[in-house]
Amino acid sequence: MIPDLPADIDQIKGFLAADEAQALFEQALRASTMGPVLEIGSYCGKSTIYLGLACRTNNSTVFALDHHRGSEEHQQGEFFHDPDLYDAGEGVMDTFREFRRNMRRAGLDEVVVPVVAGSEAAARHWQTPLAMVFIDGGHSLEAALTDYRCWMPHLMRGGVLAIHDLFDDPHKGGQAPYAVYRMALASGLFESLGQVNSLGLLLRL
Ligand code: MG
């Protein structure tokens, strides 16, 4: 049971299973005693709420990074496209409006700091050590590798790297997050904290 979890959390758009949400919350609760948490790929903020509630307990911060233009699979004509999140006037996806609404309703405006940018642009002048990095951005190999390369150097020792959407069977989903997960493990810089559903958890040594 997570205190202050919005009653309508299951109505919030997103792709996060209940056991994964619980695991994210628990990892963030421990990690955020050491520093802030960075989430890559916030979408409408479902996972951000779990991270935010954990960080609020420790007076910490979630940096919620997303360009809010949707990943490849969210674009018009793609499988995960949601017309409610399409800005027809501009002809682009816009998940930021929905994200802000969800943060305000969850009472997390003072805990969650949105960073509306691409991964590379946001990382360019980043200096703050991070206690947890949650990679849940684009699923192309290029996007997933960019997220890892840009942010892994900022993860402090003893911090947690969480990677969403690990599928060992290619029929269940794209292989890029899993490739990055295996690369991180093979680097010798991490120890496995196990896997919850499709969420991989690694401890930075
Ligand atoms: Mg995901």
Side-chain angles (χ1 to χ4, degrees):
M1 186 65 197
I2 298 172
D4 298 327
L5 194 64
D8 64 349
I9 186 78
D10 291 331
Q11 264 74 62
I12 293 175
K13 295 172 190 288
F15 311 91
L16 187 73
D19 54 354
E20 297 169 340
Q22 182 70 35
L24 270 185
F25 175 81
E26 285 166 11
Q27 291 299 327
L29 196 58
R30 184 188 70 80
S32 62
T33 60
M34 302 183 290
V37 171
L38 175 84
E39 171 180 64
I40 305 163
S42 298
Y43 196 58
C44 297
K46 189 174 192 175
S47 48
T48 322
I49 290 176
Y50 289 92
L51 296 172
L53 291 173
C55 283
R56 186 164 68 185
T57 304
N58 295 316
N59 268 323
S60 189
T61 297
V62 183
F63 295 106
L65 172 61
D66 199 312
H67 46 57
H68 287 288
R69 296 304 188 201
S71 299
E72 304 85 347
E73 69 274 19
H74 301 132
Q75 303 307 316
Q76 259 193 324
E78 299 298 324
F79 188 73
F80 289 104
H81 179 68
D82 182 339
D84 293 350
L85 302 172
Y86 187 70
D87 179 342
E90 294 294 314
V92 287
M93 288 292 292
D94 182 3
T95 53
F96 190 43
R97 183 187 157 99
E98 182 71 17
F99 174 86
R100 292 190 83 189
R101 180 172 161 264
N102 290 333
M103 290 312 108
R104 190 180 63 80
R105 288 186 169 192
L108 289 170
D109 279 339
E110 301 303 314
V111 179
V112 174
V113 176
V115 182
V116 184
S119 206
E120 236 166 352
R124 201 167 296 140
H125 295 285
W126 193 269
Q127 302 254 2
T128 304
L130 300 165
M132 179 170 174
V133 172
F134 175 39
I135 298 182
D136 192 20
H139 285 12
S140 69
L141 188 58
E142 191 191 354
L145 275 175
T146 297
D147 290 338
Y148 179 74
R149 290 199 177 118
C150 283
W151 297 103
M152 198 279 286
H154 298 290
L155 182 62
M156 61 178 70
R157 287 175 171 226
V160 177
L161 176 65
I163 304 178
H164 197 221
D165 300 313
L166 304 183
F167 301 109
D168 46 14
D169 178 358
H171 294 104
K172 290 187 186 155
Q175 294 296 288
Y178 195 45
V180 168
Y181 173 77
R182 278 178 310 193
M183 196 173 85
L185 259 184
S187 72
L189 297 170
F190 296 93
E191 180 185 295
S192 173
L193 292 173
Q195 194 172 326
V196 176
N197 205 338
S198 79
L199 179 72
L201 299 165
L202 298 165
L203 179 72
R204 175 71 167 92
L205 298 171

